[in-house]
């Protein structure tokens, strides 16, 4: 039975469908999303699709880790009801016409600025996946803070405000390193160095009341560079719209970092207050 028929049937029986979209190489961060999804829905769907449309760098795409056997075992273990693993043709095959999504300033700042076309690609894939899965709730990770905002915007742009978004806090290694599929591309020495992203964010949180934003950001740059990272950005932004702040005052803010060690690009963020 095709996935959409099976899910139609479940919905007719009054069951809610929760959806966890991923690119595979699953880790405990993905599992945390799935755990909440399972808790809240009788039907949990996880997708694995390494979406070519969202990679602005071809080697990043071809080197993206693939651990399908392990992923399947992990999903079975976690009690995921349905794994959806579409081929590129099913997503973008005959008759597919890519849309342009008006994402406003989200597309020109932070990840949008440093990865041209990335969020259009994310929207293309998520739009297609939502059309097929038609979930009641979508489970996303805070790890990709800006992506969560983009997907919220996508729901508005495509008339899907009825879909609830649940944002799950970032799962970290004991060292503080945010779990990420890309961590598989780090050797043990690089993995140790990568903790500097978390340390920098923690430094911001500990010192935001006493140190000015420009000083914090400069310190952050220094920490990252002295650990061998090349830095795309270190920013402190308003949680509600990601506008960059120069003074914190009473604003609720999030610190965000994107930096590469060798050719492995990592991102992380932390709510500061
Ligand atoms: P990805 O497979 O990296 O595209 O991620 C799929 C989903 O898992 C996205 O909603 C991510 O934000 C989320 N995710 C990735 N890493 C983590 C993490 N360390 N903690 C929580 N969620 C995560």
């Amino acid at each position: 039975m095709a996935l959409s028929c099976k899910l139609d049937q479940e919905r007719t029986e009054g069951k809610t469908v929760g959806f966890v979209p991923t690119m595979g190489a699953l880790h405990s961060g993905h599992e945390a999303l799935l755990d909440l999804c399972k808790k809240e829905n009788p039907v949990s769907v996880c997708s694995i699709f390494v979406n070519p449309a969202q990679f602005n760098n071809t080697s990043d795409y071809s080197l993206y880790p693939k651990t399908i056997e392990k992923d399947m075992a992990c999903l079975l273990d976690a009690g995921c009801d349905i794994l959806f693993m579409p081929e590129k043709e099913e997503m973008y095959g005959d008759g597919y016409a890519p849309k342009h999504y008006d994402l406003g300033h989200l597309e020109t700042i932070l990840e949008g600025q440093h990865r041209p076309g990335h969020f259009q690609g994310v929207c293309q894939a998520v739009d297609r996946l939502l059309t097929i899965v038609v979930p009641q709730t979508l489970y996303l990770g805070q790890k990709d803070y800006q992506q969560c905002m983009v997907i919220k915007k996508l729901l508005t742009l495509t008339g899907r405000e009825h879909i609830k978004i649940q944002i799950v806090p970032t799962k970290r290694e004991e060292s503080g390193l945010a779990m990420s599929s890309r961590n598989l591309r780090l050797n043990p020495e690089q993995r140790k160095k990568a903790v500097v992203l978390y340390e920098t964010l923690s430094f911001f949180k500990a010192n935001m009341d006493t140190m000015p934003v420009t000083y914090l950001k400069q310190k952050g740059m220094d920490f990252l560079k002295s650990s061998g990272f090349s830095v795309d950005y270190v920013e402190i932004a308003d949680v509600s719209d990601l506008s960059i702040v120069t003074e914190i005052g009473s604003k609720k803010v999030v610190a965000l970092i994107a930096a590469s060690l060798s050719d492995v690009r990592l991102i992380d963020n932390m709510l500061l207050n």
Side-chain angles (χ1 to χ4, degrees), residues 20-24 26-27 29-30 32-33 54 64 139-144 147-148 168-172 178-181:
V20 180
T22 82
M23 296 209 296
L26 302 180
H27 50 68
H30 299 112
L33 269 60
Q54 74 184 68
Y64 198 83
Y139 295 82
L140 304 172
Q142 191 205 311
K143 159 85 170 31
D144 295 274
Q147 178 170 277
C148 292
V168 175
T170 304
K171 271 264 173 189
R172 299 180 179 279
M179 290 184 179
S180 164
S181 306

Side-chain angles (χ1 to χ4, degrees), residues 147-204:
Q147 178 170 277
C148 292
M149 295 188 75
V150 163
I151 293 176
K152 260 187 211 161
K153 177 99 184 171
L154 172 72
L155 296 189
T156 309
L157 291 172
T158 56
R160 294 188 180 104
E161 293 95 335
H162 55 279
I163 297 181
K164 186 173 160 199
I165 291 186
Q166 285 283 47
I167 298 180
V168 175
T170 304
K171 271 264 173 189
R172 299 180 179 279
E173 310 275 357
E174 241 174 76
S175 63
L177 174 65
M179 290 184 179
S180 164
S181 306
R182 285 190 173 85
N183 293 351
L184 290 175
R185 295 185 51 211
L186 299 172
N187 65 34
E189 194 193 328
Q190 291 172 323
R191 205 174 250 260
K192 272 190 203 150
K193 287 187 175 170
V195 178
V196 70
L197 272 76
Y198 174 71
E199 289 169 349
T200 302
L201 295 167
S202 304
F203 175 83
F204 288 180

Side-chain angles (χ1 to χ4, degrees), residues 65-237:
K66 289 170 194 75
T67 59
I68 288 300
E69 300 289 319
K70 201 171 146 266
D71 292 354
M72 287 185 182
C74 160
L75 291 172
L76 261 180
D77 244 24
C80 175
D81 297 305
I82 296 172
L83 164 61
F84 179 41
M85 249 175 23
E87 294 293 333
K88 211 167 115 190
E89 291 64 38
E90 189 171 359
M91 292 289 284
Y92 304 130
D94 279 352
Y96 175 75
K99 287 185 216 152
H100 180 84
Y101 303 87
D102 182 6
L103 301 174
H105 78 294
L106 286 174
E107 209 170 3
T108 58
I109 54 164
L110 305 167
E111 290 300 282
Q113 181 186 352
H114 290 272
R115 301 187 67 188
H118 168 64
F119 285 132
Q120 289 297 323
V122 168
C123 287
Q124 282 169 23
V126 176
D127 195 357
R128 278 293 290 140
L129 290 168
L130 292 177
T131 301
I132 298 166
V133 177
V134 197
Q136 269 89 349
T137 308
L138 188 55
Y139 295 82
L140 304 172
Q142 191 205 311
K143 159 85 170 31
D144 295 274
Y145 193 96
Q146 190 173 2
Q147 178 170 277
C148 292
M149 295 188 75
V150 163
I151 293 176
K152 260 187 211 161
K153 177 99 184 171
L154 172 72
L155 296 189
T156 309
L157 291 172
T158 56
R160 294 188 180 104
E161 293 95 335
H162 55 279
I163 297 181
K164 186 173 160 199
I165 291 186
Q166 285 283 47
I167 298 180
V168 175
T170 304
K171 271 264 173 189
R172 299 180 179 279
E173 310 275 357
E174 241 174 76
S175 63
L177 174 65
M179 290 184 179
S180 164
S181 306
R182 285 190 173 85
N183 293 351
L184 290 175
R185 295 185 51 211
L186 299 172
N187 65 34
E189 194 193 328
Q190 291 172 323
R191 205 174 250 260
K192 272 190 203 150
K193 287 187 175 170
V195 178
V196 70
L197 272 76
Y198 174 71
E199 289 169 349
T200 302
L201 295 167
S202 304
F203 175 83
F204 288 180
K205 194 173 173 121
N207 295 289
M208 59 171 279
D209 290 333
T210 51
M211 293 177 184
V213 167
T214 43
Y215 180 78
L216 288 173
K217 291 202 301 195
Q218 189 52 56
K219 279 298 241 188
M221 281 280 183
D222 296 346
F223 292 153
L224 291 156
K225 284 184 180 164
S226 60
S227 289
F229 275 87
S230 81
V231 182
D232 276 353
Y233 58 82
V234 176
E235 289 293 358
I236 297 180

